[in-house]
Amino acid sequence: MITNQKLDKSFGPIGVVAGTTLFFVGIILVYFSLSGLFLILLGAFVGFTSTSTLIDIENKRVKLSTNWFGIISTGKWIDITTGMKLGIKKSKKTWRAYSRSNRTIEMTDSDYRIILYNSDNIEIMPIKKVESLEIAKKEVEELGRELELNIN
């Protein structure tokens, strides 16, 4: 069974709003002119591109995937070997945008990530994103049991 764990939007929350707006304006504009196709492509790229992690529990492998336009998945499968570990890391990302009137809009996302480490405790990739430390502890134990990994 393969599970898909959504991580982040590539261009942040401001990019999602801008891209979705361009996408819908392009759909309306394509009725009047074919130049609306450019807006549809640009809006779909900025608004819908995201990252996620695919976890294949049966074959013991994971894949950090970039989903271009929200549908085209790219990435490389990594086989889980003995010695790999799971850990929890706090993540805090701040997205900043500037308006034409030189005002700043900042959005901060705080969450916890379940991270896959190699045998030398070097971070390989994030596996899952959760909201609280308690949920992260439960999830890392469950994933460790399913994938037969130690907890860091």
Side-chain angles (χ1 to χ4, degrees):
M1 175 175 77
I2 297 177
T3 59
N4 186 9
Q5 305 294 327
K6 294 182 181 181
L7 295 176
D8 294 312
K9 294 288 188 176
S10 295
F11 296 98
I14 306 295
V16 170
V17 171
T20 307
T21 303
L22 282 176
F23 180 76
F24 287 117
V25 167
I27 289 175
I28 295 169
L29 200 65
V30 80
Y31 178 73
F32 301 106
S33 171
L34 288 178
S35 62
L37 290 174
F38 175 73
L39 290 179
I40 290 173
L41 287 174
L42 181 65
F45 178 72
V46 173
F48 304 131
T49 300
S50 63
T51 58
S52 64
T53 302
L54 298 172
I55 304 171
D56 187 359
I57 295 173
E58 294 170 354
N59 296 323
K60 293 191 178 157
R61 60 186 185 157
V62 292
K63 176 182 176 181
L64 183 61
S65 171
T66 301
N67 305 314
W68 303 100
F69 299 99
I71 53 174
I72 302 169
S73 177
T74 60
K76 181 180 175 184
W77 285 102
I78 297 173
D79 292 323
I80 295 178
T81 60
T82 56
M84 287 185 172
K85 301 171 190 163
L86 290 175
I88 300 172
K89 183 177 180 182
K90 184 171 174 66
S91 173
K92 184 176 180 181
K93 291 187 179 187
T94 301
W95 302 93
R96 183 177 298 151
Y98 299 98
S99 68
R100 288 184 64 186
S101 62
N102 205 21
R103 293 186 184 154
T104 304
I105 299 171
E106 287 188 2
M107 294 182 171
T108 303
D109 293 333
S110 286
D111 54 43
Y112 292 89
R113 306 284 170 118
I114 297 174
I115 306 291
L116 179 66
Y117 295 94
N118 67 5
S119 58
D120 297 327
N121 283 337
I122 297 173
E123 184 177 320
I124 297 175
M125 62 184 279
I127 298 288
K128 197 170 190 177
K129 175 172 109 170
V130 294
E131 297 300 320
S132 69
L133 185 59
E134 293 80 24
I135 297 172
K137 288 178 181 177
K138 291 177 187 175
E139 291 290 329
V140 78
E141 287 177 13
E142 183 181 328
L143 277 173
R145 187 175 53 254
E146 290 174 348
L147 297 173
E148 298 173 2
L149 291 173
N150 295 328
I151 298 171
N152 194 6

